[in-house]
C-alpha cells in the first residue's frame, strides 16, 4: 500500500508540473500587457520609461523560459507572486477566500449526496415503480438545467416571492442554503441514477440472494451489503467531476455575490490580474489532483475485492 501511495504521489507531482506549464503558457498567450494593467491602477499618466523600468524590475524582459523558471522556483517556495491590483501576496488573497468556498462546496456536496442516496436507493428498491420514474425525470431535468438558471429560479421563489431565505446576505447557515442547493441539485440527479445502476447490479449478486434467504431485511441488505460496492462507481464519478463542482461554484458565487474563490477569480479576470489567475488555476488544479488521489486510494476500503498491482485492477 505504501508503494502505491508513493507511485500515486509521483504521478501527482508530474501532473502538477504539466499544469504549471499549461497555466504559465496560457497567461503568456492572453491578450493585453500586464505592465500596462498594473500602471493603470493608479490612473496617472504613464511614460514609456516607467513601463520599461517596471518590466525590467519584474524580469518581464527576460526570455520566456527564464521567466517560467523563476515562477517555478517561487512556486516551490509557496510564493505565487503579488496581485497586480491589491499588491497583496496571491497566497494571502487565496487564503482569505478558501473558507467561504469550502463551506459552499461542503454544502453542495451534502445536498448532492443526501438527495442522490435517497433517490438512488428508493429507485433501486422500487424498480420500475413511480419513485423510479420520478428519479429518471429528475435526472433528465438536473442534466438539462443550467446552474445559473436554476439559481435565478431559486432566488425568485425563495427570496423574492416568499421571502423566506436570503439571496445576497452572507454569514450564518441560512445564507448558505440557496447557494448550496443551487450547486448540489444539478449533480444530485445524475448521481442518483448512477447509484441506482450500481445498486441494481449489487442486487443481482449471489451474496445478496443469500442474505435474503437468511431472512435479513431489505434496508439492512442495502446498508450493509449492497450500498458499499455500489458506491465505487459513484466515488469514481465524484473524483472525475470534482473539477466541475469547483467550476459550478464559480457561477454560484458570482450569482449570489458570494465572497469565495470563484468571485475572486472572476474579478481578477475582468481586471487582468494575471498572478492571481495563475495562482487560482494552479491551486484548484492541485486540489483536484489531490482529491483524485484520495478517491483512487479509497477503492480498496470500499470494496476489499479490489487489488492494486500486477493482476489487480
Amino acid at each position: 500500500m505504501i508503494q502505491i501511495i508513493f507511485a500515486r504521489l509521483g504521478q501527482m507531482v508530474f501532473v502538477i508540473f504539466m499544469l504549471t506549464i499549461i497555466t504559465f503558457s496560457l497567461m503568456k498567450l492572453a491578450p493585453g500587457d500586464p505592465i500596462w494593467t498594473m500602471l493603470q491602477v493608479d490612473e496617472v499618466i504613464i511614460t514609456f520609461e516607467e513601463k520599461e523600468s517596471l518590466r525590467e524590475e519584474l524580469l518581464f524582459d527576460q526570455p520566456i523560459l527564464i521567466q517560467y523558471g523563476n515562477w517555478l522556483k517561487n512556486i516551490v517556495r509557496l510564493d505565487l507572486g503579488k496581485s497586480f491590483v491589491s499588491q497583496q501576496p496571491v497566497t494571502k488573497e487565496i487564503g482569505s477566500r478558501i473558507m467561504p468556498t469550502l463551506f459552499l462546496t461542503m454544502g453542495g456536496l451534502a445536498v448532492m449526496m443526501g438527495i442522490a442516496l435517497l433517490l438512488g436507493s428508493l429507485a433501486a428498491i422500487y424498480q420500475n415503480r413511480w419513485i423510479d420514474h420520478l428519479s429518471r425525470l429528475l435526472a433528465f431535468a438536473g442534466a438539462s438545467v443550467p446552474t445559473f438558471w436554476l439559481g435565478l429560479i431559486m432566488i425568485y421563489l425563495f427570496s423574492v416571492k416568499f421571502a423566506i431565505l436570503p439571496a445576497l446576505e452572507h454569514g450564518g447557515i441560512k445564507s448558505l442554503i440557496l447557494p448550496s442547493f443551487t450547486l448540489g441539485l444539478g449533480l444530485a440527479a445524475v448521481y442518483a441514477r448512477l447509484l441506482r445502476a450500481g445498486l441494481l447490479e449489487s442486487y443481482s449478486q449471489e451474496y445478496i440472494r443469500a442474505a435474503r434467504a437468511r431472512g435479513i431485511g431489505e434496508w439492512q441488505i442495502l446498508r450493509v451489503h449492497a450500498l458499499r460496492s455500489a458506491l465505487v462507481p459513484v466515488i469514481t464519478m465524484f473524483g472525475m467531476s470534482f473539477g466541475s463542482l469547483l467550476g459550478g461554484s464559480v457561477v454560484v458565487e458570482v450569482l449570489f455575490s458570494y465572497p469565495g474563490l470563484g468571485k475572486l477569480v472572476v474579478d481578477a479576470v475582468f481586471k487582468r490580474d494575471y498572478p492571481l489567475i495563475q495562482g487560482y488555476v494552479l491551486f484548484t488544479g492541485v486540489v483536484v489532483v489531490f482529491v483524485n488521489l484520495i478517491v483512487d486510494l479509497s477503492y480498496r476500503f470500499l470494496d476489499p475485492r479490489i487489488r492494486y498491482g500486477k493482476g489487480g485492477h
Side-chain angles (χ1 to χ4, degrees), residues 45 47 49 71 107 115 122 183 185 221 245 254-255 258 273 311:
I45 299 175
T47 64
E49 288 76 17
W71 183 61
I115 295 175
L122 290 175
L183 186 61
L185 273 180
I221 290 174
L245 191 65
V254 172
L255 188 62
Y258 192 80
D273 195 346

Side-chain angles (χ1 to χ4, degrees), residues 69-271:
N70 292 331
W71 183 61
L72 197 60
K73 280 192 293 186
N74 290 333
I75 288 175
V76 174
R77 295 197 294 263
L78 300 181
D79 180 7
L80 298 176
K82 285 187 177 180
S83 164
F84 286 169
V85 178
S86 66
Q87 294 299 312
Q88 295 293 319
V90 171
T91 50
K92 185 178 179 181
E93 292 272 1
I94 292 177
S96 65
R97 302 294 188 97
I98 284 179
M99 292 312 292
T101 296
L102 182 63
F103 286 137
L104 175 61
T105 306
M106 295 300 290
L109 280 175
V111 170
M112 181 188 76
M113 294 306 295
I115 295 175
L117 282 173
L118 181 64
L119 280 182
S121 302
L122 290 175
I125 293 173
Y126 303 105
Q127 185 183 7
N128 295 325
R129 306 276 289 275
W130 69 269
I131 189 69
D132 189 17
H133 298 309
L134 177 64
S135 173
R136 186 179 294 116
L137 182 64
L138 290 176
F140 282 128
S144 306
V145 176
T147 303
F148 74 92
W149 188 81
L150 178 63
L152 289 174
I153 293 296
M154 295 189 76
I155 289 173
Y156 174 74
L157 286 178
F158 298 103
S159 293
V160 179
K161 187 77 174 176
F162 302 111
I164 55 178
L165 288 171
L168 300 178
E169 295 178 9
H170 306 297
I173 295 177
K174 203 171 180 181
S175 64
L176 267 175
I177 294 176
L178 281 184
S180 298
F181 270 84
T182 304
L183 186 61
L185 273 180
L187 291 172
V190 178
Y191 277 84
R193 299 305 296 174
L194 190 64
L195 182 63
R196 172 192 179 273
L199 284 173
L200 289 179
E201 184 179 350
S202 296
Y203 282 146
S204 66
Q205 302 297 317
E206 292 291 338
Y207 65 91
I208 295 293
R209 284 197 283 269
R212 283 176 176 151
R214 292 200 302 273
I216 300 176
E218 282 296 324
W219 285 108
Q220 190 174 353
I221 290 174
L222 169 70
R223 183 171 52 85
V224 178
H225 301 287
L227 192 58
R228 194 169 177 179
S229 59
L231 280 178
V232 173
V234 175
I235 297 297
T236 304
M237 184 70 181
F238 170 73
M240 295 172 64
S241 62
F242 188 75
S244 301
L245 191 65
L246 286 178
S249 72
V250 173
V251 177
V252 172
E253 287 179 11
V254 172
L255 188 62
F256 289 90
S257 293
Y258 192 80
L261 281 174
K263 183 72 165 53
L264 178 72
V265 74
V266 170
D267 291 341
V269 169
F270 281 118
K271 295 173 182 173

